[in-house]
Amino acid sequence: MADALRARIRSGALRPGERMPTQAQLAHEFGVERGAVRQALRVLQSERLLTNVSKGSPATVAADPAGALTGPQAPPLPTTVALAPRIATAFAAEHVEIDAVCLTSISLTLAIGEPLRQIHAGRLKPAKVDVRVLLPSRDIDLAFPVPVEGGGDDWVHERWLAMRNAQGQVLQHNLLALRATHGIDVRVTFRALPFTPPVKLYLLNGTEALFAYYTLTRREAEADHEQPALYDAQGTRSMLFAFRQGAGLRDTTFVEQSHLWFNALWGTISSELVLTS
């Protein structure tokens, strides 16, 4: 429920200063108890998207929800929580520009699902969408995921490669389909990095940078298989730090330097990437 309401706020379906539906209305819409409604509203209040959350009158959308998850006061949030609403807000622009550095593009593919629904529902209609994604090359020895004991990691690499290609193909297909269905000028480009990125980075419309570390953990083998334990990172759970141009010198400089770093990688050591096995 919090994800759905957050997306409505980010897309402008719920406007700054507007009163939310009553808790009774939300409980009926989502088919949940009032306690679940209050919990979802408190989550959005903690993100500074809502004000006046109480058992009485309906909550109110914050005066500046666009900056609630970015800027010096923004709390870091898991990628699955923070990325989707920021992507949805980015798609409200006439020209959408998204650059990403990541391991498989799973989080990006999931996050773009919400603005795609908004476009198909007629609530968003960008004129142009440009997406550039940097992913590890298939030809390198990955730093992770790797077996804990080392050696014999061909199956790990093949599984990662299949996931990288599948997620990239879904992302590409869903975005390019907007040309035929809505007449939107779409360009999606992938390039390959000669190293495993230790961080993930998303750059939105030249004004925001969302950054997270890939933190490695030991993942035990599946019970019904003989596959060994792995050192791996679960990128969807990585804490995403948000920076916004104009939110102070620190944020502005980080956004600018992140764009310089991305463009340098894109134009120098990266190579053509074809999403095939």
Side-chain angles (χ1 to χ4, degrees), residues 201-223:
L201 176 70
Y202 307 97
L203 304 171
L204 311 181
N205 291 349
T207 61
E208 289 186 84
L210 306 173
F211 172 91
Y213 295 101
Y214 281 117
T215 302
L216 299 187
T217 59
R218 177 176 175 137
R219 194 172 72 193
E220 297 302 327
E222 298 177 12

Side-chain angles (χ1 to χ4, degrees), residues 112-126 173-182 184:
I112 280 182
E114 178 56 33
L116 291 181
R117 286 190 288 272
Q118 297 284 347
I119 290 172
H120 293 309
R123 290 190 285 269
L124 291 174
K125 180 76 184 286
H173 171 79
N174 290 345
L175 286 169
L176 293 180
L178 296 176
R179 290 178 178 173
T181 58
H182 294 82
I184 298 173

Side-chain angles (χ1 to χ4, degrees), residues 87-146:
I87 294 285
T89 299
F91 267 77
E94 183 174 0
H95 182 189
V96 181
E97 295 179 281
I98 298 175
D99 294 334
V101 180
C102 44
L103 188 65
T104 61
S105 79
I106 291 176
S107 296
L108 181 60
T109 301
L110 291 172
I112 280 182
E114 178 56 33
L116 291 181
R117 286 190 288 272
Q118 297 284 347
I119 290 172
H120 293 309
R123 290 190 285 269
L124 291 174
K125 180 76 184 286
K128 186 176 182 180
V129 176
D130 282 315
V131 176
R132 300 187 298 172
V133 185
L134 286 168
L135 295 167
S137 168
R138 62 171 296 159
D139 299 322
I140 65 172
D141 292 329
L142 291 172
F144 60 90
V146 290

Side-chain angles (χ1 to χ4, degrees), residues 168-241:
Q169 288 167 356
V170 169
L171 177 67
Q172 188 175 52
H173 171 79
N174 290 345
L175 286 169
L176 293 180
L178 296 176
R179 290 178 178 173
T181 58
H182 294 82
I184 298 173
D185 181 9
V186 178
R187 181 173 60 181
V188 185
T189 313
F190 297 87
R191 287 187 68 79
L193 291 170
F195 62 88
T196 308
V199 300
K200 57 166 58 178
L201 176 70
Y202 307 97
L203 304 171
L204 311 181
N205 291 349
T207 61
E208 289 186 84
L210 306 173
F211 172 91
Y213 295 101
Y214 281 117
T215 302
L216 299 187
T217 59
R218 177 176 175 137
R219 194 172 72 193
E220 297 302 327
E222 298 177 12
D224 297 332
H225 298 78
E226 297 180 357
Q227 297 170 350
L230 301 177
Y231 288 129
D232 200 0
Q234 292 187 317
T236 56
R237 299 182 184 178
S238 299
M239 298 300 289
L240 206 61
F241 295 82

